[in-house]
Amino acid sequence: MHYPTIKLWSDANCYSPWAMSVYVALREKGLPFTLQRVDLAHQQHLTEAYAAVSLTRRVPTLALDNVQLSESSAITEYLEECFPAPEYERLYPHDRQKRARARELQAWLRSDFIAIRQERPTEALFAGQKYSPLSEDARHSAAKLIDGAQRLLGAGQQNLFGEWSIADTDLAIMLNRLALHGDALPENLAHYAWFQWQRASVQLWLGESVKKG
């Protein structure tokens, strides 16, 4: 089978949760690609060379043949259109309403929960680092996250929509900011986050991450 030339830009340590989302999507689709690391600490993403690649000068950025695209949910939706089911693994639910809910969840996770992201950064996810107890703002943010996740996940439910979707990876990332740090989560959500973390595509990303400690 002929595949297009695909390149994915991530941060140097592979700690970006949204680069992870695109990486998982590519692995799930079974698409060969090259991973390029961008040193954000030394502002490599702000160079003119990277600006020629990325409109937003952020990671992730994907190059697929002559198309260059940034912003993770835009990338995964584009991949879904370019490499549709059933020939390739589905990233979004087949049902239209469930698909809309998955996109709603993705947008919410990217635009909210700032206190959690600040107090449980991705070093807690990928490097096992420990931080101070959650502030009041972060506890409120966590309560909102937990309430939303509980509305979407019934007891023993392993995937959000009866079948895996990229929204499962995105939700597990946010929940695992808490779970992997040792913060309290309801048992069903902790199990859901653990289950999603075992997926082969996720484990491959974890193998890319640079462990520090």
Side-chain angles (χ1 to χ4, degrees):
M1 181 181 295
H2 172 72
Y3 289 104
T5 300
I6 302 176
K7 188 178 293 186
L8 171 64
W9 283 264
S10 176
D11 63 295
N13 292 335
C14 285
Y15 283 2
S16 165
W18 311 129
M20 174 181 173
S21 185
V22 175
Y23 180 99
V24 167
L26 289 165
R27 290 295 190 187
E28 293 289 340
K29 290 286 187 186
L31 298 169
F33 64 96
T34 301
L35 182 65
Q36 298 287 117
R37 297 174 187 250
V38 180
D39 191 339
L40 304 183
H42 289 88
Q43 299 190 330
Q44 189 178 353
H45 59 301
L46 301 180
T47 64
E48 289 302 316
Y50 192 64
V53 172
S54 172
L55 175 67
T56 63
R57 301 195 188 197
R58 305 205 300 183
V59 296
T61 292
L62 184 87
L64 198 164
D65 283 340
N66 296 321
V67 175
Q68 296 166 338
L69 191 62
S70 299
E71 301 304 312
S72 58
S73 59
I75 295 170
T76 55
E77 289 186 28
Y78 185 65
L79 289 172
E80 186 79 322
E81 292 182 6
C82 291
F83 306 98
E87 186 175 0
Y88 298 91
E89 178 75 21
R90 191 184 302 279
L91 299 178
Y92 290 90
H94 180 266
D95 178 81
R96 181 171 58 187
Q97 292 183 357
K98 291 179 179 179
R99 192 162 61 248
R101 183 69 73 189
R103 288 168 171 159
E104 176 191 39
L105 178 58
Q106 284 188 299
W108 187 31
L109 291 168
R110 285 158 173 74
S111 62
D112 205 340
F113 310 111
I114 294 173
I116 295 176
R117 293 202 299 269
Q118 289 177 337
E119 297 184 27
R120 296 295 180 264
T122 49
E123 285 79 2
L125 276 169
F126 304 124
Q129 291 190 18
K130 297 299 181 182
Y131 298 88
S132 301
L134 293 173
S135 67
E136 183 177 358
D137 283 347
R139 290 197 302 272
H140 286 310
S141 189
K144 182 168 59 173
L145 172 66
I146 289 167
D147 180 68
Q150 292 284 41
R151 290 169 182 259
L152 293 170
L153 290 164
Q157 193 172 330
Q158 294 181 324
N159 296 309
L160 285 163
F161 306 110
E163 56 181 328
W164 178 86
S165 76
I166 194 63
D168 283 298
T169 297
D170 291 349
L171 179 57
I173 289 170
M174 189 62 75
L175 290 172
N176 270 327
R177 287 179 185 268
L178 302 171
L180 294 177
H181 190 271
D183 299 301
L185 273 183
E187 184 177 355
N188 67 311
L189 297 187
H191 179 75
Y192 165 83
W194 173 87
F195 178 80
Q196 294 297 328
W197 227 236
Q198 308 315 304
R199 198 167 182 90
S201 54
V202 172
Q203 289 293 309
L204 287 169
W205 169 265
L206 297 178
E208 300 280 4
S209 298
V210 177
K211 304 295 191 299
K212 291 183 178 180

